[in-house]
Amino acid sequence: MPDLSWGNRWLQRVGDGMRRHARLIRAVQWVVVVFYALLLVIPALLPLPDSQARMLDNLTLFAQFLFWGLWWPFVLLSMVLFGRLWCGVLCPEGSLSEWASQYGKGLGVPRWLRWGGWPTLAFCLTTLYGQLISVYDYAQAALLILGGSTVAAVGVGLLFARGKRVWCRYLCPVSGVFALLARLAPVHFQVDEQRWMENAAPRLPPPNCAPLLDIRRLRGASDCHACGRCSGQRGAVQLIARSSNQEILHATAQTLSRWESRLLLFGVIGLAMGAFQWTVSPWFIALKQTLAQWLVEHDQFWALQDDAPWWLLTHYPQLNDSFSWLDGFSIVVYLSLSSLLLGTALLILLRVTARLAKDPALYWPMALTLTPLGGAGLFLGLSATTVKLLRYEGLLLEWVQPARACLLMAAMGWSLLLGCKRLNRESIGLARHLSGGVCLLLANGMIGLGWWLQFWGWA
């Protein structure tokens, strides 16, 4: 191996240690599986907590805080810090899917299943359905969505590719989001393809790459699950530190799937913003009132009834929390418009930037420069549940708003810096550079405005 810095030598030992201690990692995975199952199933079997219940004396609320207040926000944060370490080492769905595949039929992966749009479609549908049944607020809803996803992961494992994670590679609803955020990770498993081809002795046993990657041609952290199984293979694979900007700045239209950009613009940014803000949005209220007035004028009173089952629309009358058919329709319309309008506006600005750079294909890699802001938005939205639950416990948390502002401004600055650096690599005149910079500023400002409205403008 080439001479390494002290930091990279230490990281290499960490990666090699993950390979040596694979059994310990498997044991940890099963501990997480058990904890995940208990956290998901037990609260769904308990009575709904009353308005006086608190986290420290009610298991359902405590589980809700652990799940949505800590677990998911910090899983997202881990992607930015460590890549997809969660996927390879801790994810219960991945562990169960791989385990099930060892006893399944081992069929080949059909072409239709390898379609690149499945993670985008799954993320959008899951997000929309989660809002309709209030997944963040009720344990039954969480069990239905997350438990259903886990059952599907096991089912896919029983059908396809023995000993692999076909679900994680092609179908997982958050796989695409994790792949985007992992591009920002300051560490990854680097592969020296030339050294791999030299096939220098001694060799380690061939690793089982569960997400079905071609290890020799691995070029980044977006698809790698960082499980450490291939560390040291042929002396060509090692865990190293890198610039967090590297993978995005070096992305090209040829190395990217267009679905990644679509997921980022229309899903992670557009749809997610609508999902987190509709409960406080005056635009949503205006939409629902307009639709309600039309329904009354046309004697369509059935749509105002709240008699849908809980698995279709939120229905907990004992807590005075039930959605009417109009509520459900309004949520679908609002989230769809949020996705389409914001995503399309960003798409237009980025396409104009690409045109100014005299490279229409630059749109796809340029879209990735918004990844820090997209990730920050997801974290802000999910952590709002954390803040809400803590405030129910009587904590004031006066530092939250300044912290949100700092995170939002830092993410906007990072995304804008990435965009400008990517644009500066093009050989164009000053006027085109400045015009492209204005488009990038507008794109970042538009996203920032959406989050400002939620946490400050409409507060």
Side-chain angles (χ1 to χ4, degrees):
M1 298 294 290
D3 186 32
L4 302 173
S5 67
W6 177 87
N8 278 339
R9 286 197 300 270
W10 181 81
L11 285 173
Q12 183 180 350
R13 287 197 293 269
V14 171
D16 293 345
M18 292 175 68
R19 179 165 187 160
R20 288 194 306 271
H21 298 291
R23 288 187 177 181
L24 176 60
I25 290 176
R26 303 298 173 270
V28 171
Q29 287 176 341
W30 282 109
V31 171
V32 176
V33 167
V34 172
F35 180 70
Y36 170 79
L38 294 175
L39 202 62
L40 201 57
V41 175
I42 293 179
L45 302 177
L46 296 176
L48 292 172
D50 58 40
S51 59
Q52 303 302 317
R54 291 294 179 264
M55 279 194 299
L56 296 181
D57 58 22
N58 186 278
L59 181 59
T60 300
L61 290 180
F62 184 65
Q64 181 187 8
F65 176 72
L66 290 180
F67 220 158
W68 300 113
L70 295 179
W71 186 314
W72 281 107
F74 288 95
V75 164
L76 290 178
L77 182 61
S78 76
M79 297 296 155
V80 179
L81 296 177
F82 310 112
R84 300 182 66 170
L85 182 71
W86 163 264
C87 297
V89 176
L90 298 172
C91 178
E93 279 194 4
S95 303
L96 287 170
S97 186
E98 182 179 353
W99 169 78
S101 71
Q102 296 174 9
Y103 305 97
K105 293 186 175 182
L107 301 176
V109 182
R111 184 174 181 179
W112 65 265
L113 195 145
R114 290 184 273 117
W115 178 52
W118 287 124
T120 300
L121 182 62
F123 174 80
C124 292
L125 292 178
T126 302
T127 299
L128 182 59
Y129 184 46
Q131 296 305 304
L132 293 176
I133 63 174
S134 300
V135 68
Y136 301 139
D137 298 318
Y138 296 104
Q140 286 178 309
L143 177 60
L144 178 60
I145 288 185
L146 298 177
S149 177
T150 302
V151 170
V154 172
V156 170
L158 289 172
L159 288 175
F160 304 109
R162 198 175 305 280
K164 303 296 182 181
R165 297 188 177 192
V166 174
W167 170 265
C168 304
R169 175 69 185 276
Y170 299 112
L171 298 173
C172 175
V174 289
S175 177
V177 177
F178 289 170
L180 285 168
L181 298 182
R183 290 181 179 275
L184 302 172
V187 295
H188 81 130
F189 281 94
Q190 182 188 59
V191 180
D192 184 337
E193 187 173 359
Q194 181 178 353
R195 187 171 182 84
W196 180 286
M197 294 298 293
E198 290 173 355
N199 198 19
R203 294 192 197 180
L204 292 169
N208 171 34
C209 184
L212 299 102
L213 303 180
D214 183 352
I215 300 173
R216 177 167 66 91
R217 295 182 175 86
L218 189 64
R219 290 292 179 269
S222 61
D223 294 323
C224 175
H225 284 196
C227 62
R229 300 180 192 183
C230 63
S231 184
Q233 186 69 21
R234 299 197 180 196
V237 185
Q238 63 187 46
L239 184 64
I240 67 163
R242 63 171 186 173
S243 167
S244 293
N245 299 336
Q246 176 181 317
E247 193 164 339
I248 289 180
L249 291 180
H250 289 85
T252 66
Q254 291 71 37
T255 61
L256 289 175
S257 163
R258 296 185 177 187
W259 283 106
E260 292 182 85
S261 299
R262 292 165 181 161
L263 172 60
L264 177 62
L265 299 182
F266 292 92
V268 172
I269 294 176
L271 182 66
M273 185 179 293
F276 288 125
Q277 72 174 200
W278 70 267
T279 55
V280 297
S281 171
W283 300 338
F284 175 80
I285 296 174
L287 170 67
K288 192 171 76 168
Q289 288 177 341
T290 300
L291 292 174
Q293 183 177 353
W294 185 91
L295 289 168
V296 171
E297 290 173 353
H298 292 79
D299 296 326
Q300 300 296 320
F301 296 104
W302 64 269
L304 305 179
Q305 301 299 315
D306 58 356
D307 53 357
W310 69 268
W311 49 264
L312 186 59
L313 293 174
T314 299
H315 186 73
Y316 301 94
Q318 61 271 47
L319 297 179
N320 295 318
D321 188 12
S322 296
F323 288 175
S324 66
W325 296 101
L326 172 61
D327 289 325
F329 181 76
S330 299
I331 292 171
V332 171
V333 171
Y334 187 87
L335 267 64
S336 299
L337 287 175
S338 174
S339 174
L340 292 174
L341 295 178
L342 183 54
T344 302
L346 294 174
L347 182 149
I348 292 172
L349 287 170
L350 292 169
R351 284 197 179 276
V352 171
T353 304
R355 293 285 183 181
L356 289 168
K358 300 181 180 180
D359 181 7
L362 184 63
Y363 155 71
W364 303 109
M366 187 63 75
L368 288 188
T369 64
L370 295 174
T371 301
L373 193 47
L378 288 179
F379 185 82
L380 285 171
L382 284 172
S383 62
T385 300
T386 314
V387 173
K388 178 183 72 174
L389 293 173
L390 289 176
R391 282 178 172 163
Y392 284 166
E393 299 300 311
L395 300 178
L396 297 178
L397 304 179
E398 296 179 352
W399 53 269
V400 166
Q401 290 296 72
R404 284 171 171 164
C406 289
L407 176 59
L408 184 59
M409 293 301 293
M412 290 176 66
W414 190 358
S415 288
L416 189 59
L417 176 64
L418 284 171
C420 290
K421 283 189 172 184
R422 193 67 183 81
L423 189 61
N424 287 340
R425 295 172 60 182
E426 305 300 315
S427 299
I428 56 177
L430 179 61
R432 286 179 175 268
H433 268 298
L434 292 177
S435 299
V438 170
C439 290
L440 294 173
L441 184 61
L442 288 174
N444 281 270
M446 191 179 301
I447 302 169
L449 175 62
W451 292 112
W452 177 83
L453 286 173
Q454 176 171 346
F455 293 115
W456 292 276
W458 293 333

